[in-house]
Amino acid sequence: MGKVVALAGGVGAAKLLRGLVKVVPPKNLFIIGNVGDDVELYGLHISPDLDIIMYTLAGIVDEDKGWGIAGDTFNCLEMLGRLGFETWFKLGDKDLAFHITRTKMLREGMTLSQATAKLCRMLGVEVNLIPMSDNPVRTKIQSGNRLLEFQEYFVKRGTMDTVTGVIYEGAEKAKPAPGVIQAIEEAGQVIICPSNPILSIAPILAIKAIKKALEKSKAPVVGISPIVGGKALKGPADKVMASMGFEPSAYGVAKFYGALLKHFIIDETDEGQKNRIERLGIKVTVANIVMRSLEDSIRLAKIVMEVK
Ligand code: FO1
C-alpha cells in the first residue's frame, strides 16, 4: 500500500485517524497537522491539534472532551490561579508534562517536527505526525474591528464572537515542514479530515507550497464533511462558514475546497445535496459519517480508503 496523507485539525480529524490506523499500516500514514492554533502559555509551547491526535492515537485522550488526557488532574493549574495567572485554558497536570518536554526540546534547538516525532515515539505512536510547518503560523480571528488570538476566540471567549475574517499570520513566509511535500508527491491517497475548513484546514492550505503540491498530486483528494444536516459535528464550523459568507452545509464545504477535491463523502442526512455537489465536478459518496465509536471510525476509514 502506498503513502496515505491526511490533512488534519483536532478532534474531528482524530476520530477518523483512530480508525485509519486500523486500516492503513501506521508507517504509511502521514498526518499533516494544523499548528495555527498553537499558543504559548506560562512560557510553554502548546500545540493543541498535534496533541489531540497524538493522545488519541496513543489511547490516552479524554474521550468525553476529545482533548486533554483521560483522568488528568488540575493541581498545577489551580495553584497557578492562586499565584495570579489566568487559567481559562484547561491544562491538566499530565498534559503539562508534554508541554514542558516539548518546550525543552525546542529550547535545545529541535524543530517542532523533530520534537513531535520524538514525543510520538515516546508514546509508541507509529504514524508520521508532521506539523504543517516548523515556522510559526498563527490563526487570528477578526470580529468587526477586533483581532483575537485563536485560543482567545475559541476557548477564552467560547466562540461567542462573529467571525468576519481570518488571518493565517506567518503563512506567507512559512515553509512546509520536512517530509510534507515528499509525502504528498508520493501519496496514493490524500484525505481532508472532517475538520473545520476555515479554522483547521485552511491554515495548512495557506502555506503555498502545500496547496501547490496538492493541486499537482495525482492521488485522489478525498474530503469528509464536518457538517451534517447544516450543523457542525463539533465546534463552530457551521457558524464560522455562515458568517464568512459560505453556505453552512456539506455543499458549502465542498464548494470551499472546490477544485482541490476529487471526491467528497457526505452523510446520509445530506443525500439531497449529492447532485449539487456533483455539479461542482466532485464525485460524492453518501454514508453514515457520524463517528460515535471506534467501530464507526474504522467503518468510515474503510470507505475513505475505497473511494477513488
Ligand atoms: N478546548 C477547550 O474548549 N477548552 C480548553 O480549556 C481546552 C484546553 C486544551 C488543553 C490542551 C489541548 O491540547 C487542547 C485544549 N483544548 C481546549 C482544545 C483545543 O484548544 C481546541 O479544540 C483546538 O485548538 C481546536 O482544534
Side-chain angles (χ1 to χ4, degrees):
M1 193 187 283
K3 287 184 178 171
V4 176
V5 168
L7 309 191
V11 181
K15 280 198 174 163
L16 176 67
L17 293 168
R18 70 181 175 181
L20 212 54
V21 292
K22 307 283 183 204
V23 177
V24 175
K27 291 212 159 30
N28 291 4
L29 184 55
F30 291 75
I31 302 165
I32 303 174
N34 170 41
V35 293
D37 301 9
D38 285 17
V39 60
E40 186 159 310
L41 290 168
Y42 322 119
L44 301 174
H45 183 112
I46 299 155
S47 293
D49 282 357
L50 299 179
D51 287 344
I52 287 167
I53 294 168
M54 189 171 70
Y55 296 163
T56 301
L57 298 184
I60 60 170
V61 79
D62 181 324
E63 304 241 356
D64 294 332
K65 293 189 300 206
W67 50 267
I69 295 178
D72 214 346
T73 48
F74 293 84
N75 297 308
C76 183
L77 199 73
E78 200 184 303
M79 195 54 77
L80 283 167
R82 281 180 62 183
L83 295 174
F85 288 95
E86 288 192 67
T87 58
W88 48 267
F89 200 72
K90 299 298 174 213
L91 293 170
D93 298 325
K94 291 180 182 175
D95 196 7
L96 276 162
F98 285 87
H99 310 314
I100 292 168
T101 309
R102 175 190 292 114
T103 305
K104 181 173 184 286
M105 289 172 177
L106 295 175
R107 298 242 162 94
E108 285 169 358
M110 273 191 186
T111 61
L112 183 60
S113 49
Q114 288 167 341
T116 305
K118 194 160 181 197
L119 288 169
C120 282
R121 274 201 304 279
M122 286 166 153
L123 281 178
V125 172
E126 291 180 327
V127 300
N128 306 276
L129 174 60
I130 317 177
M132 64 198 200
S133 179
D134 283 330
N135 309 124
V137 177
R138 294 292 172 268
T139 302
K140 302 267 164 96
I141 303 297
Q142 256 170 340
S143 181
N145 53 16
R146 298 187 63 176
L147 190 64
L148 302 166
E149 301 289 330
F150 182 83
Q151 296 298 351
E152 191 187 359
Y153 157 75
F154 199 90
V155 174
K156 189 177 184 183
R157 297 176 59 78
T159 75
M160 64 185 271
D161 303 274
T162 303
V163 180
T164 53
V166 183
I167 296 168
Y168 310 107
E169 202 177 87
E172 280 270 313
K173 278 195 251 149
K175 291 198 184 70
V180 168
I181 298 299
Q182 193 186 348
I184 296 171
E185 283 171 354
E186 295 174 359
Q189 188 90 324
V190 176
I191 299 163
I192 303 183
C193 291
S195 299
N196 188 316
I198 296 173
L199 300 183
S200 299
I201 302 296
I204 305 175
L205 300 175
I207 299 175
K208 281 196 208 89
I210 299 185
K211 175 118 190 259
K212 222 161 134 193
L214 289 167
E215 284 165 350
K216 280 204 307 196
S217 161
K218 286 183 205 77
V221 177
V222 183
I224 301 99
S225 181
I227 296 187
V228 171
K231 290 261 163 276
L233 287 169
K234 176 117 182 127
D238 46 0
K239 59 179 182 180
V240 175
M241 297 269 305
S243 66
M244 291 285 289
F246 299 96
E247 187 181 295
S249 66
Y251 171 82
V253 177
K255 194 157 180 225
F256 178 83
Y257 291 130
L260 203 57
L261 281 183
K262 171 110 185 270
H263 207 119
F264 200 48
I265 305 178
I266 63 172
D267 193 70
E268 286 156 358
T269 315
D270 298 321
E271 182 150 25
Q273 296 176 35
K274 184 173 191 273
N275 293 345
R276 278 175 85 204
I277 298 172
E278 282 173 342
R279 280 200 290 277
L280 297 170
I282 300 165
K283 292 188 199 175
V284 177
T285 291
V286 179
N288 175 4
I289 64 169
V290 182
M291 295 172 280
R292 290 199 179 87
S293 64
L294 177 61
E295 289 65 39
D296 290 344
S297 300
I298 295 171
R299 185 182 37 75
L300 184 56
K302 283 183 181 157
I303 295 171
V304 171
M305 289 309 298
E306 272 161 22
V307 299
K308 292 282 161 256

